Amino acid sequence: MEIMKITMVEMPLEVKSLMLSSIIAPRLLQQGGTDEPFAWESKEFVRRLLIGQEITFQEEYSIPSGRKFGMVYCGEKNIACLLVAAGLAKVKEQGQKGGLSPYVVEPLSLEGFAKDQGLGRWSKDPITIEESIGDLPPSTIGDGRSFEAKGFVAENKGKSLEAIVEHVRDESAICVHLTPNFLFVQVYVAGLQAPSIGRRAIPNAKAEVVGNGEASGEASATPALTAAQKLVALADIYSDIPPDKFGEEAKHFT
C-alpha cells in the first residue's frame, strides 16, 4: 500500500477581507446578464497571482459597512499597480480637495501607459472587448427558476467537469464556478459525514447582503453582489454555535 505524506499549512488565526484601495475593477457577472469587459480576466489575474502565496498588506481606511481598504503586496509587487498596468482596473477619480493622494501617483502613471498601449479594458479592438465579456446563464444551479438542474445532472452524470473553487463552505461542501460556462455550483463530497464547523454571527453581514454595499458611498468600488457572492455571504450568517472537535481543522484541510 502506498503511503502519502501530506503537509498541511498552519491553521490561520484570523481571516481578513481587504478591498484594494484607489482602484476600480470591472464588475463581475450579474445574474442573467453580462459582465463588464475583462471582469473575469481581472479576477483570474489576482487569483493566479495570490492564491497559496504569502503576502503583506497595509490597511488604509474603512467605511461604515465594515469594509476595509488598503494595499496588498506579493513580495515587492503592488497588486493594485499590476492590475492597472495590465489594463484590468482603473484608478478612482480623485477629488479636488488636497490634490492627489500619494497612493495614486504610481497607479495613474501606469494607467496612462496601459491606455497608450491599448491593454485590457483600454483595447481599441472591438472583437477583443467582445470576447472578454462573460455571459451568465439565466439562473445558476439550485436557483430553481429558469435553470433545469435535474437535466444538467442527467446530462453530465459520470463526466469530469472543469471548475474553479470559489469558496470552501465547510470540509465536505465547496462552491465552484464551472468553466467555461460560469455556472456556480455547490458540490458536496459523497460518502462521508464531517464534523460541524459550528455557526457564528457576523456583524453587518445581513446588511451587506441585503444592501449590496451601495449605501456606503463606495458603490463604484463595491458593486452589487452576484448570485454566487450572495450565496457565499449568506452561508456565513449564523447564530453562535461552537464547532465540533476538529471541525475547523477539517475545513482548513479541505
Side-chain angles (χ1 to χ4, degrees):
M1 182 175 67
E2 182 181 1
I3 299 176
M4 297 179 64
K5 182 180 179 181
I6 300 176
T7 303
M8 188 167 69
V9 178
E10 185 179 352
M11 280 277 293
L13 298 176
E14 184 180 2
V15 176
K16 276 185 172 290
S17 295
L18 189 68
M19 307 285 291
L20 293 178
S21 62
S22 304
I23 66 170
I24 300 175
R27 297 190 182 207
L28 280 168
L29 305 168
Q30 301 298 307
Q31 185 170 321
T34 58
D35 60 16
E36 291 185 351
F38 296 96
W40 182 260
E41 285 84 347
S42 179
K43 178 178 184 294
E44 282 295 281
F45 181 91
V46 176
R47 183 183 70 83
R48 293 192 186 101
L49 189 64
L50 296 186
I51 292 296
Q53 302 300 313
E54 184 174 296
I55 66 168
T56 57
F57 64 94
Q58 177 182 353
E59 290 184 15
E60 295 173 11
Y61 64 93
S62 62
I63 57 177
S65 66
R67 283 195 175 98
K68 293 180 173 60
F69 292 76
M71 292 292 184
V72 175
Y73 299 86
C74 185
E76 299 295 323
K77 298 175 181 177
N78 183 316
I79 305 307
C81 287
L82 292 179
L83 280 166
V84 171
L88 298 177
K90 65 179 182 179
V91 181
K92 288 182 184 178
E93 293 184 5
Q94 302 298 298
Q96 299 299 318
K97 294 182 179 180
L100 287 178
S101 163
Y103 297 108
V104 302
V105 174
E106 183 180 3
L108 278 174
S109 174
L110 294 170
E111 184 179 77
F113 171 82
K115 287 180 178 180
D116 292 340
Q117 298 297 314
L119 301 178
R121 63 182 297 140
W122 310 114
S123 173
K124 298 175 177 61
D125 181 2
I127 296 178
T128 299
I129 294 176
E130 183 178 354
E131 290 178 346
S132 74
I133 300 174
D135 186 7
L136 188 68
S139 181
T140 51
I141 291 178
D143 190 280
R145 284 180 285 180
S146 56
F147 183 84
E148 181 49 56
K150 289 184 179 180
F152 179 86
V153 172
E155 180 183 350
N156 293 282
K157 186 174 182 179
K159 297 180 181 178
S160 295
L161 302 178
E162 297 242 345
I164 294 172
V165 177
E166 184 73 22
H167 177 67
V168 177
R169 197 197 72 178
D170 57 44
E171 58 274 18
S172 61
I174 58 175
C175 302
V176 304
H177 268 117
L178 299 180
T179 56
N181 56 12
F182 298 108
L183 285 173
F184 186 78
V185 187
Q186 285 199 71
V187 179
Y188 296 86
V189 180
L192 63 82
Q193 181 176 351
S196 169
I197 61 169
R199 296 180 178 181
R200 60 202 181 281
I202 299 182
N204 297 326
K206 292 183 180 179
E208 290 286 343
V209 174
V210 174
N212 287 340
E214 294 181 358
S216 63
E218 289 284 345
S220 59
T222 54
L225 297 179
T226 64
Q229 292 167 328
K230 287 180 182 178
L231 184 59
V232 170
L234 287 170
D236 284 332
I237 301 174
Y238 297 119
S239 57
D240 286 314
I241 299 176
D244 291 341
K245 189 175 182 180
F246 296 114
E248 293 179 342
E249 288 83 352
K251 176 183 177 180
H252 181 64
F253 182 88
T254 299

